[in-house]
Amino acid sequence: MATANMKDVKRRIKSVESTMQITKAMQLVAASKLRRAKDKAVAVQPFFETLFKTMCDISCDRAFKSVYTKKKFLNSTLLIVVAGDRGLAGGFNSNVLKMAKAKADDVLSSGGQLRVMAVGKKAVEFFEKRDYDLVWKYPQIAESIDADTVMDIAEDIIAGFRHGDYDKVELVYTTFVSVLTQEPCSLQILPVEDLDKLGGRKHPSTIYDPSPEEVFDGMIPQYIGGMLYSAIVDSYASEQAARRTAMESATDNAGEMIDNLSLLYNRARQAQITQELTEISSATIGR
């Protein structure tokens, strides 16, 4: 019995060691991807901040009016949900999808119409399994996201907004706070809000041709594209940080499990040796 028990423990130790190698490798890969994602997020910030500041300056004129800032009352919403493409990232996907579902249910419970754009394989799978109007699906784009892809998506969103398919566009994603903290959040991207909070005063020498409204409307695709790009890159960085933390925890747990199993193996081995010595001693005395 002791020999059989030792074999089972040894087999278990080898299995855990194999799993530990996988989790350690995944931890290192996630850490590498996290650094690249953070660099992409930082690189886009100056452009987007300058763009938004210019939009705020244009809109500070009292006579300014734009279809992208006008609030409608059709009670129809496009919900853009950004989640991950893979699992093994702790509560990363479940947290953001839980918030997205709550937002979607709020719209539907108030009698509104809802359309969903899912970015990321997990978001696509989540809404495909449920009774929601999933109009756009973009799985597996976060890691290799580029400006052209984002601008194509932004153009589709703007076209639907202008045609009256929905009167509000809301974005739900996970923002990167730190390596250990990632928080799901939501923000409204259409109609454009909070322009008066960040806007400065229009410089007297600034002339917009052909008009401030047309310049503002021409900047909207870059604005929406910038918002989407920032959210997707931010979410991807959060996913890698969550996976790195989860795999680090799994690696530590595997190491602790190996230590416990090794202790159990040594105890079983010591018991077997003691039993064999006892049997030898008993046989010698019997003679």
Side-chain angles (χ1 to χ4, degrees):
M1 292 295 292
T3 303
N5 186 48
M6 287 174 59
K7 289 182 179 180
D8 291 339
V9 173
K10 199 165 186 177
R11 189 182 301 112
R12 179 62 174 163
I13 290 174
K14 289 183 179 180
S15 176
V16 175
E17 285 176 343
S18 177
T19 302
M20 184 177 178
Q21 291 178 351
I22 295 173
T23 58
K24 183 65 176 178
M26 292 182 67
Q27 176 188 343
L28 295 175
V29 170
S32 176
K33 290 183 176 181
L34 172 60
R35 287 192 295 270
R36 293 198 297 268
K38 288 174 64 178
D39 291 341
K40 290 175 69 175
V42 171
V44 76
Q45 285 180 358
F47 168 79
F48 181 72
E49 290 175 356
T50 302
L51 177 67
F52 189 64
K53 183 65 166 58
T54 304
M55 291 171 61
C56 293
D57 292 341
I58 295 175
S59 64
C60 69
D61 192 334
R62 293 183 178 179
F64 174 83
K65 292 181 180 179
S66 172
V67 66
Y68 297 111
T69 60
K70 183 180 179 181
K71 294 183 179 180
K72 304 176 185 178
F73 300 98
L74 301 177
N75 201 17
S76 178
T77 301
L78 173 66
L79 187 65
I80 305 173
V81 183
V82 183
D85 290 312
R86 299 177 181 86
L88 298 177
F92 169 78
N93 287 307
S94 60
N95 291 338
V96 70
L97 292 175
K98 182 179 179 180
M99 173 179 281
K101 185 177 185 303
K103 292 281 184 182
D105 291 344
D106 286 344
V107 173
L108 294 175
S109 62
S110 63
Q113 297 178 348
L114 176 72
R115 297 186 177 191
V116 177
M117 173 187 289
V119 180
K121 184 178 178 181
K122 294 299 180 180
V124 173
E125 292 175 349
F126 180 86
F127 286 101
E128 279 183 337
K129 295 177 181 178
R130 291 162 176 81
D131 190 21
Y132 294 101
D133 185 11
L134 183 59
V135 292
W136 284 301
K137 299 181 286 186
Y138 297 100
Q140 307 286 354
I141 67 168
E143 186 171 359
S144 58
I145 192 72
D146 54 38
D148 292 336
T149 302
V150 169
M151 290 306 298
D152 289 341
I153 299 173
E155 292 289 352
D156 291 338
I157 295 171
I158 293 169
F161 184 81
R162 291 187 66 93
H163 293 160
D165 296 337
Y166 36 82
D167 61 309
K168 184 170 72 170
V169 180
E170 193 164 357
L171 177 62
V172 179
Y173 69 103
T174 304
T175 185
F176 179 88
V177 179
S178 69
V179 175
L180 299 177
T181 306
Q182 304 85 37
E183 296 180 353
C185 62
S186 66
L187 56 90
Q188 180 179 310
I189 60 176
L190 283 176
V192 183
E193 293 185 324
D194 299 330
L195 292 171
D196 55 336
K197 294 182 180 179
L198 198 63
R201 295 181 178 178
K202 182 179 177 181
H203 197 277
S205 62
T206 303
I207 299 175
Y208 299 102
D209 185 39
S211 68
E213 288 79 8
E214 292 194 38
V215 173
F216 182 91
D217 292 351
M219 297 172 70
I220 286 296
Q222 285 76 22
Y223 167 75
I224 300 298
M227 292 285 285
L228 284 174
Y229 185 88
S230 298
I232 293 172
V233 172
D234 200 4
S235 177
Y236 183 72
S238 300
E239 179 186 359
Q240 301 308 319
R243 182 169 293 111
R244 176 188 175 279
T245 301
M247 292 301 99
E248 183 179 14
S249 177
T251 302
D252 293 341
N253 291 338
E256 184 179 348
M257 186 179 295
I258 290 173
D259 292 340
N260 294 334
L261 290 171
S262 298
L263 180 61
L264 183 63
Y265 175 82
N266 291 333
R267 285 178 178 175
R269 182 170 178 271
Q270 184 63 44
Q272 182 184 12
I273 294 173
T274 302
Q275 182 180 356
E276 291 175 354
L277 289 175
T278 302
E279 291 174 355
I280 294 171
S281 299
S282 300
T284 303
I285 294 173
R287 291 180 182 177

